[in-house]
C-alpha cells in the first residue's frame, strides 16, 4: 500500500514521532481536551450518497489548453488518445454503482477518537503533524489506515468514486466549476502555506463533499498502472498549483512525496 511506501521513505521521521508520542499526545489532550471537542465528531462523520450512474472522467483538449495557461502539469492529448494516462485521463464516460462517501477528509480529531477507543499506537508521523483537531490527519502508515478503516467500517474510495464525488456528472474541472478561483481552496496560489481546517473553504462538489481540491492529497485504492508501485492520489495539497488541484489530476506517491501532505477520505462498506 502507498502509505507503506511513505513510511519506508520517512522511517527516521516515524522513529522520532514514536519517541515523542507519549509526551506529545498528553500535550494535545491538554491543548484540545477531547471531551470538549468530541461533540464535533458526529458532524465530521457526515456522509453523502452518490447515486449510481454515468459521469465524465479526465479532461477535454480545450480544458487542457486552459490549464496549461495556469502553469498546470498537462500531458499531451495525443498520449491520452493513445491510452497512456499518466497525470490525467482521456475525457470519457464511465459508470459507478451508488456509494456513500465521507463529506470531509478524515481529521485529526477522528483519528484521535480511534486511538482513544482502540489503544492503537501509530508507528508513523501523525503525531508530528497534529496541529489542530479539524485539520486533515496526515503522516499515517498503511497499518494506521487499515486499522482506522476497519474501526470506522469504511474503505478507501476507488479513483473513479473519488472523481465522481468531486466533480459530479458534468465534467467540470474543479469541484466548484470551470472557473479558476484560488479563493475556493487551499492551493499554492492561496498563499496559506500549511494545512487548514476541513471546513474553512465553503465551496463544495455537486454531491456535497468539501475540501476535495487542495489542502492535502487524498489516497485512493486504485493503482497507477501495472508495474508501478503505489496507489493514486487525488485533489492536490496546499503546496499544489490550482491547475493541478483539478479533479482529474492523478499522481502516485514517490520518494519526493511530503508525508504531511497526504491524507484520506473514506467510503462506507
Amino acid at each position: 500500500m502507498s502509505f507503506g511506501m511513505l513510511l519506508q521513505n520517512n522511517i527516521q521521521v516515524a522513529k522520532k514521532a514514536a519517541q515523542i508520542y507519549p509526551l506529545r499526545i498528553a500535550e494535545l489532550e491538554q491543548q484540545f481536551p477531547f471531551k470538549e471537542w468530541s461533540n464535533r465528531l458526529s458532524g465530521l462523520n457526515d456522509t453523502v450518497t452518490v447515486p449510481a450512474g454515468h459521469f465524465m472522467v479526465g479532461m477535454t483538449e480545450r480544458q487542457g489548453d486552459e490549464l496549461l495557461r495556469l502553469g498546470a502539469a498537462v500531458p499531451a492529448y495525443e498520449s491520452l488518445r493513445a491510452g497512456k494516462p499518466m497525470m490525467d485521463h482521456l475525457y470519457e464516460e464511465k459508470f459507478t454503482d451508488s456509494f456513500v462517501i465521507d463529506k470531509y477528509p478524515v481529521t485529526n480529531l477522528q483519528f484521535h477518537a480511534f486511538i482513544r477507543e482502540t489503544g492503537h499506537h501509530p508507528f508513523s508521523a501523525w503525531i508530528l503533524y497534529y496541529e489542530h483537531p479539524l485539520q486533515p490527519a496526515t503522516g499515517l502508515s498503511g497499518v494506521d489506515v487499515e486499522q482506522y478503516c476497519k474501526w470506522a467500517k469504511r474503505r478507501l474510495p476507488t479513483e473513479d468514486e473519488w472523481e465522481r464525488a468531486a466533480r459530479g456528472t458534468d465534467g467540470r474541472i474543479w469541484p466548484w466549476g470551470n472557473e479558476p478561483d484560488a479563493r475556493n481552496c487551499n492551493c499554492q496560489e492561496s498563499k496559506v502555506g500549511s494545512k487548514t481546517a476541513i471546513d474553512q473553504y465553503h465551496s463544495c462538489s455537486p454531491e456535497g463533499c468539501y475540501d476535495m481540491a487542495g489542502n492535502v492529497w487524498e489516497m485512493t485504492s486504485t493503482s497507477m498502472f501495472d508495474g508501478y508501485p503505489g496507489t493514486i492520489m487525488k485533489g492536490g495539497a496546499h503546496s499544489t498549483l490550482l491547475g493541478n488541484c483539478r479533479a482529474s489530476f492523478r499522481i502516485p506517491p514517490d520518494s519526493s512525496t511530503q508525508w504531511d501532505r497526504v491524507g484520506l477520505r473514506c467510503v462506507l462498506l
Side-chain angles (χ1 to χ4, degrees):
M1 192 175 187
S2 298
F3 288 94
M5 182 189 303
L6 294 172
L7 173 59
Q8 184 176 3
N9 293 335
N10 295 275
I11 194 70
Q12 295 304 318
V13 177
K15 288 181 178 179
K16 176 184 177 182
Q19 291 171 351
I20 71 166
Y21 181 82
L23 178 61
R24 182 61 181 145
I25 200 73
E27 291 175 345
L28 288 168
E29 291 274 5
Q30 287 190 327
Q31 187 177 2
F32 305 110
F34 188 80
K35 288 185 178 180
E36 295 179 13
W37 282 88
S38 60
N39 63 346
R40 300 291 300 269
L41 285 169
S42 60
L44 295 175
N45 288 324
D46 281 350
T47 58
V48 299
T49 300
V50 180
H54 293 87
F55 70 107
M56 304 306 296
V57 300
M59 65 175 185
T60 67
E61 193 165 8
R62 179 177 178 180
Q63 287 174 343
D65 292 340
E66 293 171 353
L67 290 162
L68 278 173
R69 287 194 284 272
L70 296 176
V74 179
Y77 213 72
E78 291 74 17
S79 68
L80 299 183
R81 288 196 182 98
K84 300 177 181 178
M86 287 286 290
M87 296 174 291
D88 219 303
H89 272 299
L90 183 71
Y91 193 68
E92 61 181 353
E93 186 178 79
K94 286 197 173 184
F95 176 88
T96 60
D97 292 324
S98 178
F99 60 96
V100 180
I101 191 168
D102 288 342
K103 190 174 183 178
Y104 303 104
V106 175
T107 61
N108 287 320
L109 182 60
Q110 290 162 291
F111 194 74
H112 195 175
F114 154 67
I115 284 175
R116 285 175 61 93
E117 184 171 318
T118 65
H120 176 78
H121 194 299
F123 182 66
S124 62
W126 171 71
I127 200 69
L128 298 178
Y129 304 138
Y130 189 150
E131 298 174 347
H132 191 277
L134 298 186
Q135 289 180 349
T138 59
L140 303 176
S141 70
V143 173
D144 293 338
V145 175
E146 179 182 352
Q147 292 302 311
Y148 175 83
C149 287
K150 182 178 180 181
W151 172 77
K153 297 179 174 60
R154 282 160 160 79
R155 61 172 173 82
L156 290 178
T158 65
E159 181 186 17
D160 285 348
E161 288 171 336
W162 191 98
E163 193 165 332
R164 168 70 175 86
R167 70 192 304 195
T169 60
D170 60 7
R172 61 185 60 196
I173 298 174
W174 295 279
W176 60 84
N178 293 316
E179 294 300 318
D181 192 340
R183 295 172 297 180
N184 286 330
C185 69
N186 182 7
C187 61
Q188 185 179 126
E189 291 89 336
S190 305
K191 301 186 184 305
V192 176
S194 60
K195 292 184 295 184
T196 48
I198 48 84
D199 60 354
Q200 178 162 325
Y201 292 86
H202 300 297
S203 61
C204 69
S205 76
E207 302 301 340
C209 292
Y210 288 81
D211 226 29
M212 296 195 85
N215 209 8
V216 299
W217 291 99
E218 296 183 17
M219 301 299 298
T220 73
S221 61
T222 302
S223 295
M224 192 70 175
F225 55 85
D226 292 341
Y228 196 105
T231 57
I232 292 169
M233 304 192 301
K234 303 282 282 185
H238 59 79
S239 57
T240 307
L241 289 170
L242 177 61
N244 293 337
C245 291
R246 63 186 185 271
S248 60
F249 193 64
R250 56 204 304 269
I251 62 170
D254 59 23
S255 60
S256 66
T257 301
Q258 298 294 312
W259 206 3
D260 62 333
R261 299 171 195 179
V262 181
L264 69 154
R265 181 188 308 259
C266 298
V267 168
L268 291 186
L269 293 175

